[in-house]
Amino acid sequence: MGVRMSHWQELENRYFMHTVERIPLTLVKGRGAWVWDEDGRKYLDFVAGWAVDSLGHCHPAVTGAVMEQVQTLIHTSNQFYTIPQIQLAELLVQHSCLDKVFFSNSGAEANEGAVKLARRYGKCCRDGAYEVVTARNSFHGRTLAMVAATGQDKHQQPHLPLPVGFVNVEYNDIEAIKAAATKKTCAVMLELVQGEGGVNLPEEGYLTAVRAWCDKQDILLILDEIQTGVARLGTLFAYEQFGIEPDIMTLAKGLASGIPIGATLAKNGASVFSPGEHGSTFGGNPVACAAGYATLKFIIENAIAGNVKEVGNYLASGLEKLKREFSFITDVRGGGLLMAMEFSSDIAQSVVMACLDRGLLVNRLKPNALRFMPPLIIGKGEVDEALDILEQALSGPVA
Ligand SMILES: *Cc1c(COP(=O)(O)O)cnc(C)c1O
């Protein structure tokens, strides 16, 4: 691409394992929906740390809570009670259909906790059932077990053999779940909208059918809301929009506005861990939980989900307008502030670079698709700016 590497980028090249193809941009500062690079250039951020920076960059509610907590108590062991984790747990339970919470440090870990819990349930209540049925094109994280849960060859092939106990079936196909299930099945694990796997929406009736069937079989339904939860789709949790409730739900990404956190939530009937069966050194860390509590409280008290719905619709109609303008845009889909735009050919990377040149960060979802996931506090004016830049980028020599 002939891009000159900066000092920091050269050092990275020397010292890092290259697990990600980086965009040649070193970010040094962020405020709201904007970030700045090392040369002081400003960018509108429609990636938001992969749907993590819910309240935007350095929101005062979050920085205030973190600063106060780091000056009060940074860490202690989970053998002791600490207040921020209890406050966050209470808020999560009060505002969801779940009853109990376990905190970890990431999405993959939250899902590991969910699967361990489901296996524990299988052992104690379902004759030793341990298998989990998951969907193709799902994404559940990067630990070995979650790679097995993630139904994508590109994530599985480099790491074979994978841990046993996972069956990947076609998404949006209840019959495929029924066919894959055996006496050994303890849970079905799904995303409500598949995020990393393509922003794929559930078909009408799929989720309610899965829920009803799981109930009949006494199989747990785990909803991975790591990307869709915490107002990303325009309701505090996405399950609210689909008329179902999970037995176990996982959260991470947007929960603490950028401070690492994971949460595994369960209904009382599925909360079957006994002391010692699961744990984490850092999980429930006071600083992370203070950030989570501040984020969630702000989202609830300021009706941020309503903003997501409104601004999300505005973004969607802007993207639809571009689809009518450019014949090589084949699809616009998503919900809330999680949207995708698909092209008839593999131009996503050049569109990403053309947007970058003009001061907009967007995510290459697939070789032929982009993903938009700005902070949840974004306004229509910023959406207009992003749409303008995207239009210019699409008008250039990308297609
Ligand atoms: C990002 C993501 C994960 C993994 O989260 P990490 O924090 O990267 O481990 C799991 N599930 C879904 C749906 C995700 O979007």
Side-chain angles (χ1 to χ4, degrees):
M1 223 162 285
V3 181
R4 193 180 55 85
M5 278 190 162
S6 78
H7 170 68
W8 293 115
Q9 290 164 11
E10 265 165 23
L11 288 184
E12 190 271 0
N13 198 34
R14 193 174 324 153
Y15 296 126
F16 256 72
M17 294 190 194
H18 288 126
T19 62
V20 62
E21 275 177 50
R22 294 203 207 248
I23 288 168
L25 176 69
T26 306
L27 296 174
V28 296
K29 186 176 112 172
R31 284 290 179 281
W34 298 87
V35 287
W36 282 259
D37 72 10
E38 55 188 324
D39 301 319
R41 270 200 73 193
K42 184 178 165 184
Y43 303 82
L44 190 48
D45 186 3
F46 270 51
V47 179
W50 283 328
V52 165
D53 307 309
S54 314
L55 301 187
H57 295 277
C58 301
H59 192 285
V62 179
T63 56
V66 168
M67 284 194 293
E68 191 178 325
Q69 191 59 47
V70 291
Q71 290 172 348
T72 308
L73 179 67
I74 292 181
H75 183 79
T76 168
S77 103
N78 272 321
Q79 280 198 314
F80 305 107
Y81 295 85
T82 49
I83 296 165
Q85 65 175 232
I86 300 167
Q87 289 177 310
L88 178 56
E90 181 179 38
L91 199 60
L92 282 167
V93 169
Q94 282 173 344
H95 291 272
S96 73
C97 66
L98 291 312
D99 302 304
K100 294 286 186 328
V101 183
F102 174 85
F103 289 118
S104 49
N105 309 290
S106 68
E109 266 184 78
N111 282 340
E112 288 271 344
V115 169
K116 281 176 77 176
L117 186 59
R119 284 194 176 192
R120 195 72 200 86
Y121 180 85
K123 196 154 260 171
C124 76
C125 318
R126 283 285 320 288
D127 207 19
Y130 64 91
E131 261 179 14
V132 178
V133 179
T134 68
R136 297 231 165 88
N137 294 315
S138 59
F139 185 79
H140 297 297
R142 304 283 195 161
T143 59
L144 276 174
M146 286 312 116
V147 165
T150 292
Q152 298 188 51
D153 281 349
K154 72 169 182 203
H155 292 304
Q156 295 189 343
Q157 288 306 324
H159 309 293
L160 299 175
L162 296 172
V164 297
F166 296 91
V167 188
N168 312 137
V169 304
E170 220 47 62
Y171 186 60
N172 271 328
D173 184 352
I174 171 82
E175 295 309 321
I177 294 177
K178 289 182 189 171
T182 66
K183 283 208 301 283
K184 290 186 193 138
T185 308
C186 67
V188 171
M189 178 157 81
L190 294 172
E191 293 158 271
L192 290 152
V193 170
Q194 293 186 322
E196 195 262 3
V199 187
N200 308 315
L201 303 175
E203 279 165 18
E204 188 77 35
Y206 171 63
L207 294 167
T208 44
V210 173
R211 176 69 276 181
W213 181 80
C214 284
D215 281 340
K216 216 168 95 202
Q217 305 293 321
D218 189 20
I219 287 174
L220 298 174
L221 179 59
I222 303 170
L223 292 182
D224 177 345
E225 288 235 31
I226 287 164
Q227 189 158 155
T228 57
V230 197
R232 176 62 50 188
L233 287 197
T235 47
L236 194 56
F237 303 108
Y239 70 77
E240 297 166 39
Q241 296 179 37
F242 297 101
I244 58 161
E245 291 186 355
D247 303 297
I248 300 174
M249 174 173 81
T250 54
L251 301 173
K253 289 201 163 80
L255 180 56
S257 245
I259 304 291
I261 194 167
T264 306
L265 293 89
K267 293 213 174 189
N268 279 328
S271 286
V272 292
F273 280 142
S274 300
E277 290 177 354
H278 194 40
S280 172
T281 299
F282 288 117
N285 169 275
V287 179
C289 287
Y293 182 64
T295 300
L296 194 63
K297 202 153 165 283
F298 188 93
I299 285 174
I300 293 164
E301 287 176 357
N302 295 279
I304 298 300
N307 184 65
V308 172
K309 234 182 223 144
E310 193 182 328
V311 180
N313 285 338
Y314 188 74
L315 171 64
S317 58
L319 296 173
E320 286 291 347
K321 194 166 152 266
L322 292 175
K323 177 169 175 257
R324 289 193 294 277
E325 187 180 338
F326 298 97
S327 60
F328 57 86
I329 301 175
T330 52
D331 194 26
V332 167
R333 60 178 179 269
L337 287 172
L338 179 62
M339 296 295 301
M341 171 179 271
E342 198 156 302
F343 306 114
S344 53
S345 59
D346 292 352
I347 58 168
Q349 186 63 22
S350 26
V351 179
V352 166
M353 297 310 289
C355 287
L356 179 70
D357 274 349
R358 294 167 172 82
L360 172 68
L361 307 186
V362 292
N363 172 241
R364 189 194 65 134
L365 177 63
K366 294 196 278 188
N368 69 334
L370 300 177
R371 180 169 42 164
F372 307 91
M373 43 192 163
L376 308 178
I377 45 89
I378 200 154
K380 287 183 183 170
E382 286 158 331
V383 169
D384 282 336
E385 286 187 58
L387 289 167
D388 275 353
I389 292 175
L390 185 60
E391 184 178 23
Q392 288 169 36
L394 293 169
S395 306
V398 289

